Amino acid sequence: MMERYQKAMGRIHAPADTKKKLLGSAARPRRSRAAKLLPVAACLLVLVASCAVWVLTETGASLLPVGSSYDEIYDTWYAQREDRLSILGGGGIAGEGDGDTYGDTTIMGGVSSSPSFDYSASDPKDYYETHSQTEGVKESDRQKTNGKFLWRIDGKTLYTYRLAGEDSELVSDLPLPEEAGFGSEMFLLEGRLAVITRCYKVPGLRFKAYTRVYLYDLDAATGIPVLAEVFTQSGYYQDSRILGDTLYIVTDHNGYVGVPEEGEEIPPETYIPTVGKGATERALKPEEIYLTRDIPMGRVGLWFSVVSAIDLKGKEILSARAILGSSYTLYASTENLYLFAHADGTKTKVFRFAMAGEDTALTGSCQVKGTLLNQFAADEQDGCLRLATSVSRSIWIHEEHFSGQFNCVYVLDEDLQIRGALEKIQPEERIYSVRFSGDLCYLVTFQQIDPLFAIDLSDPSEPKILSELKVTGFSSYLYEYGEGLLLGFGVEGTENGSLTGQKLSMFDASDPEAVTEITSLKVSDDWGILYDHKKLMISEEQGLIGIPLDGYQLYTYDREAKEFVLLGHYELLGNDVRGLYAGKYCYVTSTMGLIAIDLESYEVVAEIDLTV
Amino acid sequence: MQANNRYEAERLVEEYADMIYRLALIRTKSPHDAEDIMQEVFLRYLKAHPVFESSEHEKAWLIRVTVNRANSFLSSAWNRRTLPFDEAVLGELPEEEDGSAVLNAVASLPLAMRTAIHLHYFEQMTVKEISSAMGKSESAVKSLLFRGRQCLKELLEP
């Protein structure tokens, strides 16, 4: 067995071009253009930046400088990279905090007006829709349904099932085009399916990642997808949202070109991000790239975070924008898309893009301490952005390792200025789940036992802890299960902190000053952390909780008896098991097929095995 | 930097690039994070220019720094959605026998367990060396190796 591992691992090698880059960074022959510019880079940057500001104020687009030329973009990055290298030389790499300042805040214009979509008009649906953090903003999933059909994407195949209880059938298994790479997420929008894929090209030695959107029209009678358009965006796929008819897609593009030889020119297309529709592909224009002054250099490379807006009805790219630097997570309200990027000293840079109309412009940026766990660590209410972060500091001195942790909650106003903050919550632990709910923030941290904090944000300038409940294990996902109830999914543990399995918990949060655990139930002996909350199906209206563990388990919460009740436990082959309900049935799919469960008898009434 | 550094860097890349990349990869399960970590580890080496008594010391230093770097990547990117390990890593490789099964199985182990398994079975490090690289006691490393083997057996042997 271990020989097989040695053999398989032995076939993996560090990418050749990265090795080349490493040699480049050691030898450091200055590239001609940069070399000439460097001695005056600082003065030039100031000059250029002020020109750019002027230009943009003129056009009214935004006040954060964008590039005036590709050279300027490269040189901005290059100059900051030099700073970065000197930081690297100065001892520890990450984690040394630098005082208690909040960092800078940059504001460009006001918050844009909200788009006029009517979210209330939708009919009550009798089928499951992927849970959206923000009402009215759609999120992607591995499978989608309209109640009649179920579409599921597995790597290179797009499956269509017709949903009809015991008569359910596989309608088509459409292979994605060869160049598509792998797909694992999609959106459903009124008769259209947008499948997102990740693919890698290796032109010469350069490894390049692309994200593609395959837009399919769906045949109303058969549900069969017909390819209508393809969009391409360079970079590793990060996340996406749909607001109205517009798909917002964020990728991280690595344009690192190494340090060129003396006299060597670097063509911009080797490092500038690209977007494209069909067979056409274009590099972002300099004026579409924001010259972030303090580049989030969580990484060494020449990274760009690219945000494009695609009109799925008109099948057009509405806008494409990028910031210098990579981002690590995002959050979308119905007005703004926020990108969060690592900044030095375990800080996070926040970039706010307005999601309105034809353009996706940057409208502000700021910096806070710590790192966001995931999308749920951010929330916007009444123009205020609320964030929960964990600060983890880690430093090596000689051979000794020192580390420290604490957590913070911030309330930022419309100008992204800090209105209120709670810092140093539960030192030595870090956040495992967060949920904002109106004026409240629920926070779970963990080291040995799990305190669940309820934090009152009703006065944005003065957040305060209302209660702290300690239970064993921890919740890695929190869900508001109707009035006053909070559902937690997480890991069960003992009082000394060892982990023993996974559990469902129900908390009574009707009195935020005294949150209590009503009940909990161990659902698996295997422990692991739920990274993708979309694997769970939680429907309070239907009273269903679906968990893809040890096959598929269907639970309900009995409000009278105040306990979880197992409705059925089903065996299922294959990976990436997901469930959803439609009408009187629950359909559970995996890479190997589908089962249909009658929601009255909880018996399996149909089984489709893709392997036969 | 002088010419010396160029040779130093060439030697380092030649000897250790794959080692660092593989360790970072099995820890982060993401080729692009692994690539970044590799770059940072090298930059750190070239900047700090530590002097070692022997090549074992040098290797141990690089492994420890890689483990540490991969730690801070995980804490920040720990729940970033990434490609399934096999798609990301093996998508680029020719399909061969059951290589992907065993890589996936190791990758599916908890972080500390797969790190210990990788260092022991791939890098051929002793329990003592692993304990110092991972900052864990020798008995903890033994237990990780034992439990790791058990898990792999269950995963791979029907």
Side-chain angles (χ1 to χ4, degrees), chain A residues 269-329:
Chain A
E269 58 271 23
T270 57
Y271 60 91
I272 295 294
T274 59
V275 290
K277 175 185 158 182
T280 60
E281 192 180 348
R282 72 166 181 90
L284 262 64
K285 297 175 209 136
E287 60 269 27
E288 289 171 322
I289 299 171
Y290 292 98
L291 296 178
T292 22
R293 276 174 298 175
D294 183 11
I295 299 176
M297 278 291 192
R299 298 163 166 181
V300 178
L302 169 45
W303 288 86
F304 296 87
S305 223
V306 190
V307 184
S308 75
I310 301 170
D311 176 1
L312 294 181
K313 273 211 173 133
K315 298 176 186 160
E316 288 300 333
I317 299 174
L318 297 176
S319 76
R321 295 278 187 167
I323 54 167
L324 258 174
S326 71
S327 58
Y328 67 88
T329 195

Side-chain angles (χ1 to χ4, degrees), chain A residues 457-575:
Chain A
L457 305 173
S458 56
D459 177 359
S461 61
E462 207 183 319
K464 56 177 186 282
I465 296 176
L466 292 180
S467 67
E468 181 183 342
L469 166 73
K470 292 194 172 180
V471 291
T472 55
F474 60 87
S475 296
S476 54
Y477 180 58
L478 289 173
Y479 183 95
E480 278 190 274
Y481 197 81
E483 279 297 290
L485 290 180
L486 200 58
L487 176 70
F489 181 82
V491 176
E492 178 63 295
T494 60
E495 281 187 9
N496 63 21
S498 59
L499 306 173
T500 56
Q502 301 190 58
K503 67 169 176 180
L504 279 170
S505 303
M506 191 62 85
F507 301 99
D508 180 354
S510 52
D511 178 6
E513 293 192 19
V515 178
T516 54
E517 186 179 49
I518 304 171
T519 181
S520 78
L521 181 72
K522 195 163 156 185
V523 294
S524 172
D525 288 334
D526 286 336
W527 75 269
I529 292 169
L530 176 78
Y531 294 123
D532 184 359
H533 64 277
K534 290 171 191 166
K535 286 185 175 176
L536 299 178
M537 171 184 68
I538 304 174
S539 166
E540 184 213 336
E541 302 81 45
Q542 296 286 317
L544 285 177
I545 301 164
I547 304 172
L549 278 179
D550 312 328
Y552 199 78
Q553 305 183 39
L554 214 48
Y555 290 90
T556 192
Y557 177 69
D558 184 338
R559 285 169 193 266
E560 303 266 300
K562 298 190 171 178
E563 61 186 17
F564 293 103
V565 179
L566 180 68
L567 301 172
H569 193 159
Y570 307 93
E571 279 188 19
L572 202 68
L573 291 173
N575 294 319

Side-chain angles (χ1 to χ4, degrees), chain A residues 1-2 4-15 18-19 21-23 25-28 84-86 88-89 91-94 140 155 182 185 198 200 202 207 236 239 256 298-301 303 328 342 371 373-375 392 394 396 399 401 430-432 527 529 531-532 534, chain B residues 1 5-6 9-10 13 17-18 21-22 25-26 32-33 35-36 38-40 42-44 46-47 64 68-69 72-73 75-84 87-94 96-103 106 110 117-118 121-122 124 149 152-153 156-157:
Chain A
M1 180 164 62
M2 294 330 295
R4 271 154 60 199
Y5 179 67
Q6 286 166 3
K7 207 171 150 197
M9 195 40 118
R11 297 210 313 268
I12 295 174
H13 298 280
T18 313
K19 290 187 186 174
K21 280 181 227 163
L22 292 169
L23 294 175
S25 58
R28 310 271 282 283
R84 171 71 179 163
L85 288 176
S86 60
L88 288 180
I93 288 185
S140 64
F182 295 94
E185 290 180 36
R198 310 151 199 243
Y200 306 98
V202 189
F207 175 83
Y236 295 94
D239 209 346
Y256 194 93
R299 298 163 166 181
V300 178
W303 288 86
Y328 67 88
H342 294 296
T371 303
L373 170 66
N374 56 26
Q375 64 185 79
S392 126
S394 162
W396 284 75
E399 302 213 336
H401 182 234
R430 77 166 170 85
I431 294 174
Y432 272 81
W527 75 269
I529 292 169
Y531 294 123
D532 184 359
K534 290 171 191 166
Chain B
M1 290 207 185
N5 266 5
R6 174 93 196 177
E10 272 176 12
V13 168
D18 286 345
Y21 181 74
R22 287 167 183 148
L25 186 67
I26 199 70
H32 75 290
D33 285 350
E35 229 176 291
D36 279 343
M38 185 169 82
Q39 295 187 35
E40 294 221 17
F42 274 88
L43 285 170
R44 187 169 171 164
L46 293 169
K47 278 284 168 186
R64 203 170 50 237
N68 181 40
R69 278 312 292 142
S72 41
F73 258 76
S75 61
S76 55
W78 72 295
N79 95 336
R80 177 193 305 160
R81 266 178 282 167
T82 49
L83 273 180
E87 286 181 16
V89 177
L90 300 172
E92 302 295 313
L93 293 173
E96 263 180 57
E97 357 118 41
D98 50 2
S100 97
V102 72
L103 280 182
V106 173
I117 290 275
H118 176 84
Y121 291 100
F122 191 82
Q124 316 278 325
R149 276 193 303 268
L152 288 174
K153 250 183 217 156
L156 291 167
E157 287 167 16

Side-chain angles (χ1 to χ4, degrees), chain B residues 6-29:
Chain B
R6 174 93 196 177
Y7 297 122
E8 183 67 4
E10 272 176 12
R11 181 188 65 80
L12 214 60
V13 168
E14 194 59 43
E15 275 184 43
Y16 296 116
D18 286 345
M19 176 190 85
I20 294 169
Y21 181 74
R22 287 167 183 148
L23 176 59
L25 186 67
I26 199 70
R27 284 176 69 78
T28 62
K29 302 199 234 178

Side-chain angles (χ1 to χ4, degrees), chain A residues 356-511:
Chain A
E358 301 272 296
D359 196 9
T360 310
L362 191 69
T363 60
S365 79
C366 67
Q367 189 167 292
V368 294
K369 282 186 215 164
T371 303
L372 277 74
L373 170 66
N374 56 26
Q375 64 185 79
F376 295 105
D379 183 78
E380 192 188 273
Q381 180 178 284
D382 304 330
C384 283
L385 175 68
R386 294 98 57 91
L387 302 173
T389 65
S390 286
V391 182
S392 126
R393 292 181 171 171
S394 162
I395 186 167
W396 284 75
I397 298 174
H398 300 296
E399 302 213 336
E400 291 294 312
H401 182 234
F402 301 93
S403 66
Q405 295 260 7
F406 58 91
N407 307 293
C408 309
V409 170
Y410 294 104
V411 182
L412 310 174
D413 63 16
E414 291 193 1
D415 298 327
L416 293 182
Q417 299 281 356
I418 293 178
R419 281 270 293 278
L422 258 181
E423 291 183 331
K424 317 243 155 118
I425 305 168
Q426 203 67 9
E428 301 317 314
E429 302 204 345
R430 77 166 170 85
I431 294 174
Y432 272 81
S433 55
V434 191
R435 192 67 138 182
F436 286 92
S437 163
D439 285 339
L440 289 169
C441 167
Y442 298 104
L443 198 65
V444 168
T445 65
F446 178 72
Q447 191 177 33
Q448 289 203 334
I449 50 175
D450 152 21
L452 168 63
F453 292 94
I455 296 166
D456 178 12
L457 305 173
S458 56
D459 177 359
S461 61
E462 207 183 319
K464 56 177 186 282
I465 296 176
L466 292 180
S467 67
E468 181 183 342
L469 166 73
K470 292 194 172 180
V471 291
T472 55
F474 60 87
S475 296
S476 54
Y477 180 58
L478 289 173
Y479 183 95
E480 278 190 274
Y481 197 81
E483 279 297 290
L485 290 180
L486 200 58
L487 176 70
F489 181 82
V491 176
E492 178 63 295
T494 60
E495 281 187 9
N496 63 21
S498 59
L499 306 173
T500 56
Q502 301 190 58
K503 67 169 176 180
L504 279 170
S505 303
M506 191 62 85
F507 301 99
D508 180 354
S510 52
D511 178 6

